[in-house]
């Protein structure tokens, strides 16, 4: 499988709240970020957590979020960020209209 | 170990355990012993495997990470390799960084990095040893991503507003460690002396190296 | 839904800087998981272990200490996978407690 995103791509995290084992923290769901790096392709931990093999492997990216995007009331400077490792199936491209 | 002893049919000699032998034996301690004994009985692993693993756990401390940081400060080529692949760079120094990939992120005059795992407590155990209690606490895991500067201030760390604070939430397949900035006035120090300056907390990113 | 372990961004009090030295039984829990999840055995994945900890539920998750959560999750997975049985575990725990009692007398 080939990675769908590259460093520099703007992405939006899927806004979904499944009740099982997931690796995408609640606070980034639905948020916009920028891919900082392709980390690797790994068997999907969300499958492996239930005893399955998690294949095919899935790409994991470092995604950089501006703190102001994550927390509209963020008190610190404009430039502060949080980077989170996110699997490809949690990411969608960001359209020009911001959607 | 001088305090090693064994009970009849206790499956492995072990150091005296003040927590078990002088305090109450909780259900979870009993469960731990029972699971270990059952797995040894069933030859899932041996008592020797257990002993070696415990020794291995005890052998890991922030000193491993500190040696790497000091080497990186002195050797730009090593630093480049470390930023590329910590586990391979560790091997060059005969340090076993484990099989989980570790990513070193470098503090610069423009960016201060700090690590957390909001979903559990992922931590670069093979290079820094077992995590401190606060790293696993609800307060640290909840607050660092939302108010990093306030949390850093609780550790006595003030980062100027012009410097980006970048939090790394290690949720997935990587572990992070921070490559701190080399303090000024250390030009004449050798690797051992430099390693002595590098604390666990500055490799987590909650402090910076302070030389007074 | 927001799950209880997924706490990034929630309000909480100050970070308590107190630390304790890990006790032998805590290290034993750590060693058991390393041995079971290591590449020589792969009996438990760290993903399964995390899932089992999360599934302890909000009450137990906050009530138990870190390594209590770990050994609970390890034990549950070993039983689910048929590596040990509930009866064996119960019997062995009684043995351990009896031996401990004896050692104190």
């Amino acid at each position: 499988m080939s990675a769908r995103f590259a460093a520099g791509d703007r992405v939006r995290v899927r806004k979904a709240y499944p009740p099982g084992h997931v690796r995408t923290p609640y606070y980034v769901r639905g948020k916009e970020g920028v891919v900082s790096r392709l980390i690797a392709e790994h068997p999907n931990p969300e499958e492996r957590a239930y005893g399955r093999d998690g294949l095919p492997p899935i790409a994991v990216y470092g995604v950089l979020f501006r703190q102001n995007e994550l927390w509209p009331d963020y008190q610190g400077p404009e430039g502060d960020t949080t980077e989170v490792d996110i699997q490809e199936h949690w990411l969608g491209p960001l359209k020009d209209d911001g959607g | 170990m001088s305090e090693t002893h064994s009970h009849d049919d206790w499956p492995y000699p072990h150091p005296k355990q003040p927590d078990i032998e002088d305090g109450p034996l909780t259900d979870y301690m009993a469960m731990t012993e029972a699971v270990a004994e059952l797995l040894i009985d069933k030859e899932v692993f041996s008592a020797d495997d257990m002993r070696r693993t415990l020794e291995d756990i005890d052998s890991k401390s922030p000193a491993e990470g500190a040696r790497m940081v000091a080497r990186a400060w002195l050797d730009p080529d090593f630093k480049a390799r470390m930023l590329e692949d910590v586990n391979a760079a560790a091997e060059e120094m005969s340090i076993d960084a484990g099989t989980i990939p570790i990513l070193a992120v470098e503090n610069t005059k423009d960016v201060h990095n700090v690590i957390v795992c909001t979903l559990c407590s992922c931590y670069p155990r093979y290079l820094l040893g077992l995590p401190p209690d606060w790293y696993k606490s609800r307060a640290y895991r909840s607050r660092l991503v939302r108010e990093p500067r306030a949390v850093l201030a609780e550790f006595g760390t003030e980062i100027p507003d012009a410097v980006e604070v970048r939090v790394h939430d290690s949720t997935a397949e990587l572990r992070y460690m921070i490559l701190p900035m080399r303090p000024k006035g250390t030009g004449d120090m050798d690797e051992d002396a430099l390693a002595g300056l590098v604390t666990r907390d500055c490799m987590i990113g909650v402090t910076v190296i302070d030389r007074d | 839904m927001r799950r209880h372990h997924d706490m990034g961004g929630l309000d909480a009090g100050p970070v308590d800087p107190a630390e304790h030295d890990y006790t032998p039984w805590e290290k034993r829990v750590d060693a058991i998981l390393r041995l079971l999840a290591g590449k020589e055995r792969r009996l438990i994945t760290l993903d399964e272990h995390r899932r089992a900890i999360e599934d302890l539920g909000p009450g137990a998750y906050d009530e138990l200490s870190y390594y209590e959560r770990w050994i609970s999750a390890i034990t549950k997975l070993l039983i689910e996978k048929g590596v040990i049985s509930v009866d064996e575990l119960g019997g062995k725990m009684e043995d351990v407690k009896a031996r401990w009692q004896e050692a104190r007398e």
Side-chain angles (χ1 to χ4, degrees), chain A residues 58-81:
Chain A
I58 187 164
V60 183
Y61 303 90
V63 180
L64 197 63
F65 299 90
R66 290 173 45 248
Q67 289 285 30
N68 288 338
E69 163 73 5
L70 297 177
W71 324 104
D73 60 348
Y74 186 68
Q75 301 292 313
E78 190 76 18
D80 288 358
T81 56

Side-chain angles (χ1 to χ4, degrees), chain C residues 21-39:
Chain C
D21 288 333
Y22 286 99
T23 57
W25 86 266
E26 290 178 303
K27 290 179 186 174
R28 202 101 94 197
V29 177
D30 207 291
I32 292 170
L33 184 66
R34 286 189 198 208
L35 287 165
L36 293 173
K39 59 177 181 290

Side-chain angles (χ1 to χ4, degrees), chain B residues 61-197:
Chain B
S61 78
E64 316 268 335
R67 279 172 58 208
M68 295 188 70
V69 169
R71 176 76 55 94
W73 285 343
L74 290 173
D75 179 348
D77 293 334
F78 178 82
K79 177 171 138 182
R81 294 196 295 279
M82 179 172 164
L83 292 173
E84 180 69 33
D85 185 340
V86 170
N87 304 63
E91 212 175 309
E92 286 180 37
M93 298 181 71
S94 302
I95 295 171
D96 173 15
T99 52
I100 300 176
I102 299 170
L103 184 71
V105 286
E106 185 183 10
N107 282 347
T108 66
K109 63 181 182 28
D110 300 317
V111 183
H112 177 84
N113 296 279
V114 55
I115 58 177
V116 66
C117 173
T118 61
L119 293 179
C120 51
S121 307
C122 296
Y123 187 77
R125 289 156 176 259
Y126 276 84
L127 285 185
L128 301 189
L130 299 178
D133 290 324
W134 52 261
Y135 185 84
K136 306 177 294 183
S137 70
R138 180 164 278 276
Y140 187 78
R141 288 170 54 192
S142 299
R143 290 177 52 222
L144 189 74
V145 288
R146 182 169 191 148
E147 39 176 353
R149 287 173 187 266
V151 173
L152 291 175
E154 287 170 27
F155 285 89
T157 305
E158 300 285 346
I159 304 296
D161 279 3
V163 176
E164 171 187 340
V165 170
R166 182 176 296 181
V167 179
H168 296 266
D169 187 354
S170 78
T171 60
E173 315 301 336
L174 278 183
R175 302 291 178 266
Y176 288 88
M177 69 173 286
I178 308 302
L179 176 52
M181 280 199 287
R182 179 171 177 175
K184 290 193 176 67
T186 56
D188 56 348
M189 292 173 76
D190 67 10
E191 193 169 301
D192 283 349
L194 287 170
L197 300 176

